[in-house]
Amino acid sequence: MELAKEVDIVIPTIRKLDFLEKWRPFFQPYHLIIIQDGDPQKTIEVPEGFVYELFNRNDINKLLGTKAFCISFKDSACRCFGYLVSKKKYIFTIDEDCFVAKDPSGKDINVVEQHMKNLTTPSTPYFFNTLYDPYRDGCDFVRGYPFSLREGVNTAISHGLWLNFPDYDAPTQLVKPSERNTRYVDAVMTIPKGSLFPMSGMNLAFNRELIGPAMYFGLMGEGHPISRYDDMWAGWCSKVICDQMGYGVKTGLPYVWHSNASSAFVNLKKEINGIFWQEEIVPFFQSVKLPRDATTVEQCYLELAKQVKDKLSLIDPYFNKLADAM
């Protein structure tokens, strides 16, 4: 597979993209979709030599018209507009404060290559393999693993991790201000069917043809009572739908170097409703039932939107708007 023809890299930004210089050896072969958040009059500088399209709020309004409200403003959730305009099979998305990490041997990690290995090999959501990903070189299924399940299923999502600053919420940041992740765990694993997970959007790849309609990052930021839960929302929705459709989700490698954490106090203001609401949102997703005749991702997502409106709107009227946007 010639990866450059199959992958778009989506980057949300509010500033000039100097960080791309660090990624040049790995990103230059690919087409970039840059989503400019904030003031559309501001000029975003992109280093020379990259092939890219840049969309700002004016473009979003022009292309979506009355439906432009679905794309969040002043929040990294705007990145999902890039998923909408992409025509490629795979999407890799990254935050601008993430840089090239090194493996324990000192070698630079090619994140796109590793994500594509994860996405183009099967997942094992129905039975856990204690040696993690059995499809990696030098690994296999352990004794006692049913032969009937060894073909695995198609992988829809590859969730990468971070060295240096972990992706913590504000309360954890406040009590552990100096904590850094220095542990490189050389493992990829399938998240079991029926288990939810906190999906971070800062180092993430997915098969757009398999799960694209479920990767909507919600209504966040300006005009809404919640932020920093955009990727979590997409993760809960997409995992429930992957379980329904028989697709797999992997987490682990590849790592990026997360260079800095945003202000814990600012994050607390953004997250405070989400911190309370998630105690009811997560049980909703854990118990949600999708009808058997929902046999496409689109059908599953529309049904999920209906149930969000029926049940989560009891928490706050915001969920009516979110369901409409879905």
Side-chain angles (χ1 to χ4, degrees):
M1 177 174 68
E2 191 179 340
L3 288 181
K5 291 182 179 177
E6 298 275 3
V7 182
D8 272 335
I9 298 177
V10 175
I11 305 166
T13 189
I14 56 171
R15 58 181 65 88
K16 62 181 182 178
L17 292 170
D18 291 349
F19 93 117
L20 284 173
E21 288 295 352
K22 304 287 186 184
W23 285 105
R24 188 177 289 277
F26 300 113
F27 287 3
Q28 197 158 8
Y30 298 96
H31 174 250
L32 312 182
I33 299 177
I34 299 163
I35 309 301
Q36 177 181 343
D37 198 13
D39 182 4
Q41 303 305 317
K42 185 177 175 183
T43 300
I44 296 292
E45 295 177 23
V46 181
E48 288 186 11
F50 289 93
V51 177
Y52 69 91
E53 291 176 275
L54 191 151
F55 298 91
N56 62 30
R57 195 71 207 181
N58 292 338
D59 300 313
I60 293 169
N61 291 338
K62 184 178 177 183
L63 286 165
L64 295 185
T66 57
K67 294 181 180 178
F69 81 96
C70 297
I71 305 300
S72 300
F73 185 58
K74 296 190 177 176
D75 192 278
S76 64
C78 67
R79 78 178 78 218
C80 61
F81 182 75
Y83 312 160
L84 186 65
V85 297
S86 172
K87 307 243 181 344
K88 302 285 178 65
K89 182 174 182 178
Y90 300 104
I91 296 282
F92 168 60
T93 186
I94 188 170
D95 284 2
E96 59 197 358
D97 59 356
C98 293
F99 294 89
V100 181
K102 294 183 183 295
D103 67 19
S105 73
K107 184 182 175 185
D108 286 346
I109 296 167
N110 187 335
V111 288
V112 181
E113 185 179 80
Q114 180 62 52
H115 274 302
M116 289 308 110
K117 284 180 182 175
N118 295 347
L119 289 170
T120 55
T121 53
S123 292
T124 54
Y126 303 119
F127 203 90
F128 189 78
N129 190 53
T130 50
L131 269 182
Y132 309 120
D133 190 345
Y135 305 101
R136 288 186 70 194
D137 291 343
C139 192
D140 213 320
F141 293 96
V142 296
R143 182 170 57 88
Y145 201 100
F147 282 85
S148 59
L149 294 176
R150 294 191 182 194
E151 278 190 15
V153 303
N154 289 329
T155 303
I157 299 170
S158 172
H159 178 258
L161 299 174
W162 341 270
L163 293 170
N164 199 30
F165 283 93
D167 192 7
Y168 282 162
D169 54 37
T172 309
Q173 281 182 281
L174 287 167
V175 297
K176 294 183 170 182
S178 58
E179 184 154 290
R180 304 290 181 270
N181 182 33
T182 58
R183 293 173 62 240
Y184 180 98
V185 180
D186 188 12
V188 177
M189 63 185 77
T190 298
I191 299 171
K193 181 181 180 182
S195 292
L196 297 175
F197 75 112
M199 188 178 82
S200 169
M202 71 169 73
N203 172 20
L204 178 72
F206 61 93
N207 184 323
R208 200 178 63 86
E209 294 178 1
L210 283 185
I211 200 64
M215 295 299 283
Y216 173 54
F217 273 44
L219 287 177
M220 303 279 151
E222 187 172 277
H224 303 294
I226 184 174
S227 194
R228 283 175 57 81
Y229 273 84
D230 51 323
D231 42 8
M232 300 297 128
W233 184 260
W236 297 325
C237 292
S238 59
K239 182 57 167 66
V240 164
I241 292 174
C242 280
D243 288 351
Q244 170 88 351
M245 297 294 297
Y247 300 148
V249 179
K250 292 181 180 177
T251 187
L253 301 179
Y255 283 89
V256 293
W257 181 266
H258 188 204
S259 63
N260 65 316
S262 45
S263 162
F265 294 102
V266 172
N267 288 347
L268 187 60
K269 274 183 73 174
K270 292 178 177 181
E271 293 173 5
I272 191 67
N273 284 329
I275 289 168
F276 285 98
W277 291 350
Q278 71 183 2
E279 300 304 322
E280 295 179 70
I281 295 170
V282 169
F284 162 78
F285 280 106
Q286 287 173 326
S287 61
V288 74
K289 295 281 188 289
L290 297 174
R292 284 189 178 181
D293 59 1
T295 55
T296 67
V297 174
E298 290 89 343
Q299 289 170 347
C300 290
Y301 200 70
L302 289 171
E303 174 62 30
L304 201 50
K306 196 186 303 177
Q307 295 191 36
V308 166
K309 180 166 276 196
D310 290 344
K311 296 176 182 176
L312 294 184
S313 61
L314 301 174
I315 301 174
D316 191 273
Y318 158 76
F319 289 95
N320 282 317
K321 292 181 193 170
L322 176 55
D324 289 341
M326 291 169 68

